[in-house]
């Protein structure tokens, strides 16, 4: 679903594969290594995020983005494939920022 929504936002011209986290999430404090991570890197699991997100404070997607992106990357962004669910959680937060809507607007009653 996240990838589909990102694709729809691309078709509308509201986001681009090369948009950086720094430009998309100016309200998040990023570790310097994450500033130039792109939507493409997040989507392809090449953003340098850790595989596991245990021990982080959970709640909203914004909370996960704040916690993950303030840390030192697990590996240099853009260099290595490293599966991480956090990348798609962060993409979900980007969708929320772009659309101004949280996940609560999407529920089964809307079908």
């Amino acid at each position: 679903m996240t990838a589909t929504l990102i694709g729809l936002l691309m078709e509308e011209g509201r986001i681009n594969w090369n948009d950086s986290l720094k430009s998309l999430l100016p309200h998040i404090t990023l570790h310097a290594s994450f500033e130039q991570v792109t939507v493409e890197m997040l989507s392809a699991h090449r953003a340098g995020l850790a595989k596991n997100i245990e021990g982080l404070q959970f709640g909203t997607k914004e909370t996960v983005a704040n916690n993950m992106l303030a840390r030192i990357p697990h590996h240099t962004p853009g260099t290595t494939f490293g599966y991480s669910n956090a990348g798609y959680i962060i993409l979900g937060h980007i969708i929320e920022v772009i659309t101004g809507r949280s996940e609560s607007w999407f529920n089964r009653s809307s079908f």
Side-chain angles (χ1 to χ4, degrees), residues 21 25 28-35 37 42 45-75 77 82-91 93:
L21 290 179
L25 302 175
I28 301 281
T29 301
L30 303 172
H31 184 279
S33 297
F34 286 121
E35 289 181 356
V37 166
L42 284 169
H45 299 283
R46 300 182 70 79
L49 296 165
K51 179 178 181 179
N52 298 314
I53 54 178
E54 292 105 19
L56 293 178
Q57 178 185 357
F58 288 95
T60 65
K61 288 182 227 32
E62 182 176 7
T63 301
V64 173
N66 271 312
N67 287 325
M68 292 299 290
L69 297 173
R71 298 170 172 231
I72 296 171
H74 187 261
H75 57 272
Y83 181 83
S84 176
N85 286 325
Y88 275 77
I89 293 170
I90 293 166
L91 285 169
H93 180 56

mmCIF file of all heavy atoms in Angstrom, residues 21 25 28-35 37 42 45-75 77 82-91 93:
data_model
loop_
_atom_site.group_PDB
_atom_site.id
_atom_site.type_symbol
_atom_site.label_atom_id
_atom_site.label_comp_id
_atom_site.label_asym_id
_atom_site.label_seq_id
_atom_site.Cartn_x
_atom_site.Cartn_y
_atom_site.Cartn_z
ATOM 1 N N LEU A 21 15.399 13.293 2.082
ATOM 2 C CA LEU A 21 14.761 13.380 3.387
ATOM 3 C C LEU A 21 14.845 14.800 3.941
ATOM 4 O O LEU A 21 13.900 15.279 4.561
ATOM 5 C CB LEU A 21 15.406 12.402 4.373
ATOM 6 C CG LEU A 21 15.136 10.927 4.120
ATOM 7 C CD1 LEU A 21 15.861 10.076 5.154
ATOM 8 C CD2 LEU A 21 13.650 10.637 4.122
ATOM 9 N N LEU A 25 11.305 16.162 4.906
ATOM 10 C CA LEU A 25 11.033 16.108 6.343
ATOM 11 C C LEU A 25 11.822 17.176 7.102
ATOM 12 O O LEU A 25 12.623 16.862 7.983
ATOM 13 C CB LEU A 25 11.376 14.715 6.892
ATOM 14 C CG LEU A 25 10.651 13.526 6.265
ATOM 15 C CD1 LEU A 25 11.168 12.210 6.826
ATOM 16 C CD2 LEU A 25 9.140 13.648 6.469
ATOM 17 N N ILE A 28 12.092 17.040 10.971
ATOM 18 C CA ILE A 28 12.799 15.928 11.626
ATOM 19 C C ILE A 28 14.270 16.277 11.734
ATOM 20 O O ILE A 28 14.882 16.746 10.774
ATOM 21 C CB ILE A 28 12.646 14.623 10.793
ATOM 22 C CG1 ILE A 28 11.181 14.241 10.608
ATOM 23 C CG2 ILE A 28 13.459 13.489 11.381
ATOM 24 C CD1 ILE A 28 10.523 13.566 11.768
ATOM 25 N N THR A 29 14.856 16.025 12.902
ATOM 26 C CA THR A 29 16.294 16.216 13.075
ATOM 27 C C THR A 29 16.995 14.981 12.517
ATOM 28 O O THR A 29 16.828 13.881 13.037
ATOM 29 C CB THR A 29 16.660 16.406 14.560
ATOM 30 O OG1 THR A 29 15.957 17.547 15.035
ATOM 31 C CG2 THR A 29 18.148 16.591 14.735
ATOM 32 N N LEU A 30 17.732 15.178 11.432
ATOM 33 C CA LEU A 30 18.400 14.073 10.755
ATOM 34 C C LEU A 30 19.876 14.001 11.125
ATOM 35 O O LEU A 30 20.544 15.035 11.202
ATOM 36 C CB LEU A 30 18.320 14.270 9.237
ATOM 37 C CG LEU A 30 16.951 14.421 8.602
ATOM 38 C CD1 LEU A 30 17.098 14.804 7.138
ATOM 39 C CD2 LEU A 30 16.164 13.141 8.732
ATOM 40 N N HIS A 31 20.376 12.779 11.308
ATOM 41 C CA HIS A 31 21.822 12.597 11.346
ATOM 42 C C HIS A 31 22.319 13.047 9.973
ATOM 43 O O HIS A 31 21.667 12.791 8.945
ATOM 44 C CB HIS A 31 22.158 11.122 11.595
ATOM 45 C CG HIS A 31 23.610 10.858 11.753
ATOM 46 N ND1 HIS A 31 24.449 10.743 10.665
ATOM 47 C CD2 HIS A 31 24.371 10.705 12.856
ATOM 48 C CE1 HIS A 31 25.674 10.519 11.098
ATOM 49 N NE2 HIS A 31 25.650 10.490 12.436
ATOM 50 N N ALA A 32 23.441 13.721 9.896
ATOM 51 C CA ALA A 32 23.944 14.285 8.634
ATOM 52 C C ALA A 32 23.994 13.249 7.510
ATOM 53 O O ALA A 32 23.754 13.586 6.348
ATOM 54 C CB ALA A 32 25.318 14.905 8.848
ATOM 55 N N SER A 33 24.269 12.000 7.838
ATOM 56 C CA SER A 33 24.359 10.955 6.806
ATOM 57 C C SER A 33 23.029 10.653 6.136
ATOM 58 O O SER A 33 23.001 10.088 5.051
ATOM 59 C CB SER A 33 24.910 9.668 7.417
ATOM 60 O OG SER A 33 26.216 9.879 7.896
ATOM 61 N N PHE A 34 21.922 11.001 6.783
ATOM 62 C CA PHE A 34 20.598 10.727 6.215
ATOM 63 C C PHE A 34 20.041 11.897 5.408
ATOM 64 O O PHE A 34 19.027 11.756 4.747
ATOM 65 C CB PHE A 34 19.599 10.375 7.317
ATOM 66 C CG PHE A 34 19.789 8.997 7.890
ATOM 67 C CD1 PHE A 34 20.038 8.830 9.240
ATOM 68 C CD2 PHE A 34 19.711 7.873 7.088
ATOM 69 C CE1 PHE A 34 20.199 7.567 9.780
ATOM 70 C CE2 PHE A 34 19.882 6.603 7.615
ATOM 71 C CZ PHE A 34 20.127 6.446 8.966
ATOM 72 N N GLU A 35 20.688 13.049 5.438
ATOM 73 C CA GLU A 35 20.127 14.234 4.784
ATOM 74 C C GLU A 35 19.876 14.046 3.295
ATOM 75 O O GLU A 35 18.888 14.537 2.761
ATOM 76 C CB GLU A 35 21.018 15.451 5.022
ATOM 77 C CG GLU A 35 20.957 15.942 6.452
ATOM 78 C CD GLU A 35 21.804 17.165 6.696
ATOM 79 O OE1 GLU A 35 22.520 17.627 5.769
ATOM 80 O OE2 GLU A 35 21.743 17.680 7.827
ATOM 81 N N VAL A 37 19.515 11.081 1.725
ATOM 82 C CA VAL A 37 18.811 9.839 1.398
ATOM 83 C C VAL A 37 17.553 10.213 0.625
ATOM 84 O O VAL A 37 16.856 11.165 0.966
ATOM 85 C CB VAL A 37 18.472 9.053 2.684
ATOM 86 C CG1 VAL A 37 17.456 7.954 2.408
ATOM 87 C CG2 VAL A 37 19.740 8.459 3.281
ATOM 88 N N LEU A 42 15.025 4.772 0.134
ATOM 89 C CA LEU A 42 14.124 4.202 1.137
ATOM 90 C C LEU A 42 13.335 3.045 0.543
ATOM 91 O O LEU A 42 13.218 1.982 1.153
ATOM 92 C CB LEU A 42 13.149 5.261 1.654
ATOM 93 C CG LEU A 42 13.695 6.280 2.631
ATOM 94 C CD1 LEU A 42 12.677 7.393 2.833
ATOM 95 C CD2 LEU A 42 14.049 5.635 3.958
ATOM 96 N N HIS A 45 15.422 -0.157 0.033
ATOM 97 C CA HIS A 45 16.146 -0.632 1.224
ATOM 98 C C HIS A 45 17.646 -0.354 1.112
ATOM 99 O O HIS A 45 18.480 -1.179 1.442
ATOM 100 C CB HIS A 45 15.895 -2.126 1.455
ATOM 101 C CG HIS A 45 14.457 -2.452 1.678
ATOM 102 N ND1 HIS A 45 13.816 -2.210 2.868
ATOM 103 C CD2 HIS A 45 13.512 -2.971 0.847
ATOM 104 C CE1 HIS A 45 12.558 -2.580 2.778
ATOM 105 N NE2 HIS A 45 12.350 -3.039 1.554
ATOM 106 N N ARG A 46 17.995 0.840 0.646
ATOM 107 C CA ARG A 46 19.389 1.249 0.503
ATOM 108 C C ARG A 46 19.667 2.552 1.256
ATOM 109 O O ARG A 46 20.573 3.298 0.920
ATOM 110 C CB ARG A 46 19.746 1.392 -0.975
ATOM 111 C CG ARG A 46 19.570 0.085 -1.758
ATOM 112 C CD ARG A 46 19.960 0.220 -3.197
ATOM 113 N NE ARG A 46 21.378 0.372 -3.391
ATOM 114 C CZ ARG A 46 22.285 -0.608 -3.369
ATOM 115 N NH1 ARG A 46 21.904 -1.826 -3.152
ATOM 116 N NH2 ARG A 46 23.560 -0.352 -3.578
ATOM 117 N N ALA A 47 18.860 2.809 2.292
ATOM 118 C CA ALA A 47 18.962 4.077 3.016
ATOM 119 C C ALA A 47 19.938 4.040 4.186
ATOM 120 O O ALA A 47 20.217 5.073 4.790
ATOM 121 C CB ALA A 47 17.585 4.498 3.523
ATOM 122 N N GLY A 48 20.450 2.861 4.510
ATOM 123 C CA GLY A 48 21.384 2.765 5.633
ATOM 124 C C GLY A 48 20.715 2.528 6.967
ATOM 125 O O GLY A 48 21.357 2.622 8.014
ATOM 126 N N LEU A 49 19.430 2.214 6.949
ATOM 127 C CA LEU A 49 18.687 1.992 8.189
ATOM 128 C C LEU A 49 18.950 0.598 8.747
ATOM 129 O O LEU A 49 19.158 -0.357 7.988
ATOM 130 C CB LEU A 49 17.191 2.164 7.936
ATOM 131 C CG LEU A 49 16.763 3.567 7.525
ATOM 132 C CD1 LEU A 49 15.358 3.545 6.955
ATOM 133 C CD2 LEU A 49 16.877 4.513 8.707
ATOM 134 N N ALA A 50 18.901 0.482 10.049
ATOM 135 C CA ALA A 50 19.091 -0.809 10.709
ATOM 136 C C ALA A 50 17.938 -1.746 10.369
ATOM 137 O O ALA A 50 16.807 -1.306 10.132
ATOM 138 C CB ALA A 50 19.176 -0.628 12.211
ATOM 139 N N LYS A 51 18.224 -3.044 10.353
ATOM 140 C CA LYS A 51 17.220 -4.051 10.036
ATOM 141 C C LYS A 51 16.119 -4.078 11.100
ATOM 142 O O LYS A 51 14.946 -4.158 10.789
ATOM 143 C CB LYS A 51 17.877 -5.428 9.927
ATOM 144 C CG LYS A 51 16.908 -6.534 9.624
ATOM 145 C CD LYS A 51 17.615 -7.854 9.474
ATOM 146 C CE LYS A 51 16.637 -8.948 9.146
ATOM 147 N NZ LYS A 51 17.304 -10.237 8.979
ATOM 148 N N ASN A 52 16.522 -4.036 12.339
ATOM 149 C CA ASN A 52 15.578 -4.142 13.436
ATOM 150 C C ASN A 52 15.384 -2.795 14.110
ATOM 151 O O ASN A 52 16.320 -1.995 14.184
ATOM 152 C CB ASN A 52 16.069 -5.159 14.464
ATOM 153 C CG ASN A 52 16.169 -6.541 13.856
ATOM 154 O OD1 ASN A 52 15.264 -6.997 13.176
ATOM 155 N ND2 ASN A 52 17.293 -7.194 14.080
ATOM 156 N N ILE A 53 14.195 -2.590 14.616
ATOM 157 C CA ILE A 53 13.907 -1.318 15.269
ATOM 158 C C ILE A 53 13.513 -1.519 16.726
ATOM 159 O O ILE A 53 12.827 -0.702 17.314
ATOM 160 C CB ILE A 53 12.833 -0.523 14.497
ATOM 161 C CG1 ILE A 53 11.571 -1.343 14.274
ATOM 162 C CG2 ILE A 53 13.382 -0.040 13.162
ATOM 163 C CD1 ILE A 53 10.462 -0.578 13.565
ATOM 164 N N GLU A 54 13.975 -2.617 17.320
ATOM 165 C CA GLU A 54 13.673 -2.871 18.723
ATOM 166 C C GLU A 54 14.266 -1.775 19.601
ATOM 167 O O GLU A 54 15.280 -1.175 19.274
ATOM 168 C CB GLU A 54 14.248 -4.213 19.194
ATOM 169 C CG GLU A 54 13.587 -5.404 18.581
ATOM 170 C CD GLU A 54 14.463 -6.034 17.528
ATOM 171 O OE1 GLU A 54 15.680 -5.791 17.522
ATOM 172 O OE2 GLU A 54 13.925 -6.759 16.693
ATOM 173 N N GLY A 55 13.615 -1.548 20.707
ATOM 174 C CA GLY A 55 14.131 -0.589 21.672
ATOM 175 C C GLY A 55 13.799 0.852 21.361
ATOM 176 O O GLY A 55 14.141 1.750 22.108
ATOM 177 N N LEU A 56 13.123 1.092 20.256
ATOM 178 C CA LEU A 56 12.744 2.456 19.921
ATOM 179 C C LEU A 56 11.378 2.770 20.504
ATOM 180 O O LEU A 56 10.544 1.893 20.679
ATOM 181 C CB LEU A 56 12.671 2.642 18.398
ATOM 182 C CG LEU A 56 13.981 2.545 17.648
ATOM 183 C CD1 LEU A 56 13.719 2.693 16.157
ATOM 184 C CD2 LEU A 56 14.942 3.612 18.101
ATOM 185 N N GLN A 57 11.162 4.031 20.775
ATOM 186 C CA GLN A 57 9.848 4.462 21.223
ATOM 187 C C GLN A 57 8.912 4.407 20.018
ATOM 188 O O GLN A 57 9.199 4.945 18.964
ATOM 189 C CB GLN A 57 9.923 5.872 21.754
ATOM 190 C CG GLN A 57 8.582 6.417 22.192
ATOM 191 C CD GLN A 57 8.664 7.867 22.604
ATOM 192 O OE1 GLN A 57 9.729 8.456 22.611
ATOM 193 N NE2 GLN A 57 7.536 8.441 22.926
ATOM 194 N N PHE A 58 7.808 3.705 20.171
ATOM 195 C CA PHE A 58 6.843 3.606 19.082
ATOM 196 C C PHE A 58 5.678 4.531 19.340
ATOM 197 O O PHE A 58 5.541 5.122 20.384
ATOM 198 C CB PHE A 58 6.357 2.167 18.916
ATOM 199 C CG PHE A 58 7.402 1.284 18.327
ATOM 200 C CD1 PHE A 58 8.214 0.525 19.136
ATOM 201 C CD2 PHE A 58 7.589 1.254 16.967
ATOM 202 C CE1 PHE A 58 9.190 -0.275 18.597
ATOM 203 C CE2 PHE A 58 8.568 0.456 16.413
ATOM 204 C CZ PHE A 58 9.370 -0.308 17.237
ATOM 205 N N GLY A 59 4.844 4.637 18.424
ATOM 206 C CA GLY A 59 3.673 5.496 18.482
ATOM 207 C C GLY A 59 3.305 5.826 17.062
ATOM 208 O O GLY A 59 2.838 4.984 16.319
ATOM 209 N N THR A 60 3.606 7.018 16.648
ATOM 210 C CA THR A 60 3.292 7.435 15.281
ATOM 211 C C THR A 60 4.460 7.139 14.349
ATOM 212 O O THR A 60 5.577 6.870 14.790
ATOM 213 C CB THR A 60 3.005 8.942 15.246
ATOM 214 O OG1 THR A 60 4.206 9.637 15.593
ATOM 215 C CG2 THR A 60 1.884 9.322 16.204
ATOM 216 N N LYS A 61 4.190 7.242 13.063
ATOM 217 C CA LYS A 61 5.266 7.099 12.082
ATOM 218 C C LYS A 61 6.293 8.213 12.272
ATOM 219 O O LYS A 61 7.484 8.007 12.076
ATOM 220 C CB LYS A 61 4.685 7.123 10.665
ATOM 221 C CG LYS A 61 3.917 5.879 10.290
ATOM 222 C CD LYS A 61 3.440 5.999 8.869
ATOM 223 C CE LYS A 61 2.031 5.649 8.615
ATOM 224 N NZ LYS A 61 1.029 5.883 9.605
ATOM 225 N N GLU A 62 5.825 9.377 12.663
ATOM 226 C CA GLU A 62 6.747 10.490 12.921
ATOM 227 C C GLU A 62 7.704 10.158 14.060
ATOM 228 O O GLU A 62 8.896 10.468 13.990
ATOM 229 C CB GLU A 62 5.972 11.766 13.233
ATOM 230 C CG GLU A 62 6.867 12.961 13.453
ATOM 231 C CD GLU A 62 6.108 14.253 13.666
ATOM 232 O OE1 GLU A 62 4.868 14.235 13.779
ATOM 233 O OE2 GLU A 62 6.772 15.302 13.710
ATOM 234 N N THR A 63 7.213 9.496 15.092
ATOM 235 C CA THR A 63 8.064 9.094 16.216
ATOM 236 C C THR A 63 9.148 8.133 15.754
ATOM 237 O O THR A 63 10.322 8.281 16.104
ATOM 238 C CB THR A 63 7.223 8.433 17.333
ATOM 239 O OG1 THR A 63 6.240 9.363 17.770
ATOM 240 C CG2 THR A 63 8.082 8.019 18.508
ATOM 241 N N VAL A 64 8.777 7.151 14.943
ATOM 242 C CA VAL A 64 9.757 6.192 14.418
ATOM 243 C C VAL A 64 10.769 6.920 13.540
ATOM 244 O O VAL A 64 11.977 6.701 13.652
ATOM 245 C CB VAL A 64 9.068 5.045 13.643
ATOM 246 C CG1 VAL A 64 10.088 4.153 12.956
ATOM 247 C CG2 VAL A 64 8.186 4.232 14.584
ATOM 248 N N ALA A 65 10.305 7.829 12.678
ATOM 249 C CA ALA A 65 11.218 8.586 11.808
ATOM 250 C C ALA A 65 12.189 9.399 12.656
ATOM 251 O O ALA A 65 13.399 9.398 12.389
ATOM 252 C CB ALA A 65 10.422 9.504 10.871
ATOM 253 N N ASN A 66 11.690 10.075 13.661
ATOM 254 C CA ASN A 66 12.562 10.854 14.551
ATOM 255 C C ASN A 66 13.626 9.977 15.190
ATOM 256 O O ASN A 66 14.803 10.336 15.224
ATOM 257 C CB ASN A 66 11.742 11.542 15.654
ATOM 258 C CG ASN A 66 11.238 12.891 15.256
ATOM 259 O OD1 ASN A 66 11.982 13.710 14.735
ATOM 260 N ND2 ASN A 66 9.963 13.135 15.491
ATOM 261 N N ASN A 67 13.223 8.831 15.693
ATOM 262 C CA ASN A 67 14.158 7.945 16.382
ATOM 263 C C ASN A 67 15.174 7.310 15.439
ATOM 264 O O ASN A 67 16.364 7.243 15.749
ATOM 265 C CB ASN A 67 13.400 6.852 17.133
ATOM 266 C CG ASN A 67 12.703 7.370 18.364
ATOM 267 O OD1 ASN A 67 13.209 8.267 19.039
ATOM 268 N ND2 ASN A 67 11.546 6.833 18.661
ATOM 269 N N MET A 68 14.729 6.840 14.294
ATOM 270 C CA MET A 68 15.631 6.159 13.364
ATOM 271 C C MET A 68 16.595 7.116 12.674
ATOM 272 O O MET A 68 17.760 6.792 12.481
ATOM 273 C CB MET A 68 14.829 5.398 12.300
ATOM 274 C CG MET A 68 14.055 4.209 12.813
ATOM 275 S SD MET A 68 15.085 2.916 13.541
ATOM 276 C CE MET A 68 15.911 2.264 12.106
ATOM 277 N N LEU A 69 16.106 8.282 12.294
ATOM 278 C CA LEU A 69 16.919 9.180 11.475
ATOM 279 C C LEU A 69 17.868 10.054 12.279
ATOM 280 O O LEU A 69 18.741 10.705 11.709
ATOM 281 C CB LEU A 69 16.004 10.045 10.602
ATOM 282 C CG LEU A 69 15.169 9.242 9.599
ATOM 283 C CD1 LEU A 69 14.164 10.140 8.891
ATOM 284 C CD2 LEU A 69 16.056 8.510 8.603
ATOM 285 N N ALA A 70 17.746 10.051 13.581
ATOM 286 C CA ALA A 70 18.685 10.793 14.428
ATOM 287 C C ALA A 70 19.923 9.959 14.749
ATOM 288 O O ALA A 70 20.939 10.496 15.182
ATOM 289 C CB ALA A 70 17.996 11.211 15.727
ATOM 290 N N ARG A 71 19.854 8.666 14.497
ATOM 291 C CA ARG A 71 20.949 7.737 14.807
ATOM 292 C C ARG A 71 21.982 7.671 13.684
ATOM 293 O O ARG A 71 21.690 8.017 12.538
ATOM 294 C CB ARG A 71 20.385 6.324 15.016
ATOM 295 C CG ARG A 71 19.444 6.225 16.161
ATOM 296 C CD ARG A 71 18.760 4.879 16.148
ATOM 297 N NE ARG A 71 17.993 4.717 17.357
ATOM 298 C CZ ARG A 71 18.075 3.650 18.141
ATOM 299 N NH1 ARG A 71 18.838 2.629 17.796
ATOM 300 N NH2 ARG A 71 17.357 3.582 19.234
ATOM 301 N N ILE A 72 23.121 7.150 14.013
ATOM 302 C CA ILE A 72 24.149 6.886 13.002
ATOM 303 C C ILE A 72 23.628 5.766 12.103
ATOM 304 O O ILE A 72 23.087 4.771 12.597
ATOM 305 C CB ILE A 72 25.471 6.461 13.673
ATOM 306 C CG1 ILE A 72 26.017 7.608 14.509
ATOM 307 C CG2 ILE A 72 26.490 5.988 12.645
ATOM 308 C CD1 ILE A 72 27.189 7.230 15.388
ATOM 309 N N PRO A 73 23.757 5.885 10.788
ATOM 310 C CA PRO A 73 23.276 4.828 9.890
ATOM 311 C C PRO A 73 23.943 3.485 10.184
ATOM 312 O O PRO A 73 25.091 3.431 10.641
ATOM 313 C CB PRO A 73 23.681 5.323 8.503
ATOM 314 C CG PRO A 73 23.855 6.782 8.650
ATOM 315 C CD PRO A 73 24.336 7.002 10.053
ATOM 316 N N HIS A 74 23.208 2.439 9.901
ATOM 317 C CA HIS A 74 23.731 1.085 10.055
ATOM 318 C C HIS A 74 24.830 0.815 9.038
ATOM 319 O O HIS A 74 25.796 0.110 9.313
ATOM 320 C CB HIS A 74 22.587 0.081 9.888
ATOM 321 C CG HIS A 74 22.966 -1.321 10.191
ATOM 322 N ND1 HIS A 74 23.279 -2.219 9.204
ATOM 323 C CD2 HIS A 74 23.097 -1.973 11.363
ATOM 324 C CE1 HIS A 74 23.586 -3.376 9.761
ATOM 325 N NE2 HIS A 74 23.478 -3.254 11.068
ATOM 326 N N HIS A 75 24.689 1.357 7.851
ATOM 327 C CA HIS A 75 25.715 1.317 6.806
ATOM 328 C C HIS A 75 25.583 2.606 5.993
ATOM 329 O O HIS A 75 24.592 3.317 6.104
ATOM 330 C CB HIS A 75 25.599 0.065 5.920
ATOM 331 C CG HIS A 75 24.276 -0.099 5.253
ATOM 332 N ND1 HIS A 75 23.215 -0.753 5.836
ATOM 333 C CD2 HIS A 75 23.828 0.333 4.055
ATOM 334 C CE1 HIS A 75 22.184 -0.728 5.021
ATOM 335 N NE2 HIS A 75 22.527 -0.077 3.928
ATOM 336 N N PRO A 77 24.488 5.144 3.565
ATOM 337 C CA PRO A 77 23.329 5.198 2.682
ATOM 338 C C PRO A 77 23.722 5.155 1.200
ATOM 339 O O PRO A 77 24.695 5.765 0.781
ATOM 340 C CB PRO A 77 22.685 6.548 3.029
ATOM 341 C CG PRO A 77 23.062 6.764 4.460
ATOM 342 C CD PRO A 77 24.469 6.233 4.552
ATOM 343 N N GLY A 82 19.993 -3.282 2.558
ATOM 344 C CA GLY A 82 19.800 -3.701 3.939
ATOM 345 C C GLY A 82 18.326 -3.594 4.290
ATOM 346 O O GLY A 82 17.818 -2.507 4.543
ATOM 347 N N TYR A 83 17.620 -4.739 4.256
ATOM 348 C CA TYR A 83 16.179 -4.718 4.489
ATOM 349 C C TYR A 83 15.867 -4.057 5.825
ATOM 350 O O TYR A 83 16.471 -4.365 6.841
ATOM 351 C CB TYR A 83 15.598 -6.133 4.470
ATOM 352 C CG TYR A 83 14.113 -6.114 4.684
ATOM 353 C CD1 TYR A 83 13.261 -5.883 3.625
ATOM 354 C CD2 TYR A 83 13.579 -6.273 5.953
ATOM 355 C CE1 TYR A 83 11.890 -5.825 3.814
ATOM 356 C CE2 TYR A 83 12.215 -6.215 6.153
ATOM 357 C CZ TYR A 83 11.375 -5.986 5.087
ATOM 358 O OH TYR A 83 10.037 -5.912 5.279
ATOM 359 N N SER A 84 14.902 -3.137 5.803
ATOM 360 C CA SER A 84 14.464 -2.476 7.021
ATOM 361 C C SER A 84 13.021 -2.015 6.865
ATOM 362 O O SER A 84 12.702 -1.254 5.951
ATOM 363 C CB SER A 84 15.347 -1.264 7.326
ATOM 364 O OG SER A 84 14.862 -0.568 8.457
ATOM 365 N N ASN A 85 12.162 -2.490 7.761
ATOM 366 C CA ASN A 85 10.778 -2.020 7.765
ATOM 367 C C ASN A 85 10.703 -0.522 8.052
ATOM 368 O O ASN A 85 9.759 0.141 7.645
ATOM 369 C CB ASN A 85 9.958 -2.766 8.812
ATOM 370 C CG ASN A 85 9.647 -4.177 8.387
ATOM 371 O OD1 ASN A 85 9.445 -4.454 7.216
ATOM 372 N ND2 ASN A 85 9.614 -5.077 9.344
ATOM 373 N N ALA A 86 11.696 0.005 8.736
ATOM 374 C CA ALA A 86 11.687 1.420 9.087
ATOM 375 C C ALA A 86 11.625 2.318 7.855
ATOM 376 O O ALA A 86 11.028 3.389 7.893
ATOM 377 C CB ALA A 86 12.917 1.764 9.928
ATOM 378 N N GLY A 87 12.222 1.899 6.757
ATOM 379 C CA GLY A 87 12.186 2.693 5.535
ATOM 380 C C GLY A 87 10.763 2.932 5.052
ATOM 381 O O GLY A 87 10.407 4.037 4.644
ATOM 382 N N TYR A 88 9.933 1.906 5.148
ATOM 383 C CA TYR A 88 8.550 2.052 4.714
ATOM 384 C C TYR A 88 7.708 2.786 5.751
ATOM 385 O O TYR A 88 6.748 3.475 5.401
ATOM 386 C CB TYR A 88 7.958 0.702 4.307
ATOM 387 C CG TYR A 88 8.309 0.412 2.867
ATOM 388 C CD1 TYR A 88 9.584 -0.015 2.513
ATOM 389 C CD2 TYR A 88 7.391 0.635 1.862
ATOM 390 C CE1 TYR A 88 9.924 -0.227 1.191
ATOM 391 C CE2 TYR A 88 7.722 0.428 0.532
ATOM 392 C CZ TYR A 88 8.991 -0.003 0.206
ATOM 393 O OH TYR A 88 9.319 -0.189 -1.109
ATOM 394 N N ILE A 89 8.076 2.692 7.008
ATOM 395 C CA ILE A 89 7.405 3.507 8.026
ATOM 396 C C ILE A 89 7.704 4.981 7.756
ATOM 397 O O ILE A 89 6.817 5.836 7.814
ATOM 398 C CB ILE A 89 7.855 3.099 9.446
ATOM 399 C CG1 ILE A 89 7.369 1.683 9.762
ATOM 400 C CG2 ILE A 89 7.340 4.099 10.480
ATOM 401 C CD1 ILE A 89 7.948 1.090 11.024
ATOM 402 N N ILE A 90 8.946 5.278 7.416
ATOM 403 C CA ILE A 90 9.340 6.659 7.107
ATOM 404 C C ILE A 90 8.642 7.126 5.829
ATOM 405 O O ILE A 90 8.160 8.257 5.754
ATOM 406 C CB ILE A 90 10.875 6.784 7.019
ATOM 407 C CG1 ILE A 90 11.481 6.539 8.403
ATOM 408 C CG2 ILE A 90 11.293 8.147 6.468
ATOM 409 C CD1 ILE A 90 12.970 6.294 8.422
ATOM 410 N N LEU A 91 8.552 6.266 4.814
ATOM 411 C CA LEU A 91 7.801 6.625 3.604
ATOM 412 C C LEU A 91 6.340 6.911 3.954
ATOM 413 O O LEU A 91 5.727 7.830 3.401
ATOM 414 C CB LEU A 91 7.887 5.512 2.567
ATOM 415 C CG LEU A 91 9.214 5.381 1.828
ATOM 416 C CD1 LEU A 91 9.257 4.079 1.023
ATOM 417 C CD2 LEU A 91 9.452 6.575 0.920
ATOM 418 N N HIS A 93 5.295 8.166 6.729
ATOM 419 C CA HIS A 93 5.260 9.500 7.325
ATOM 420 C C HIS A 93 5.380 10.573 6.243
ATOM 421 O O HIS A 93 4.704 11.605 6.309
ATOM 422 C CB HIS A 93 6.352 9.660 8.378
ATOM 423 C CG HIS A 93 6.344 11.017 9.003
ATOM 424 N ND1 HIS A 93 5.219 11.541 9.613
ATOM 425 C CD2 HIS A 93 7.289 11.972 9.077
ATOM 426 C CE1 HIS A 93 5.489 12.759 10.047
ATOM 427 N NE2 HIS A 93 6.736 13.041 9.730
#
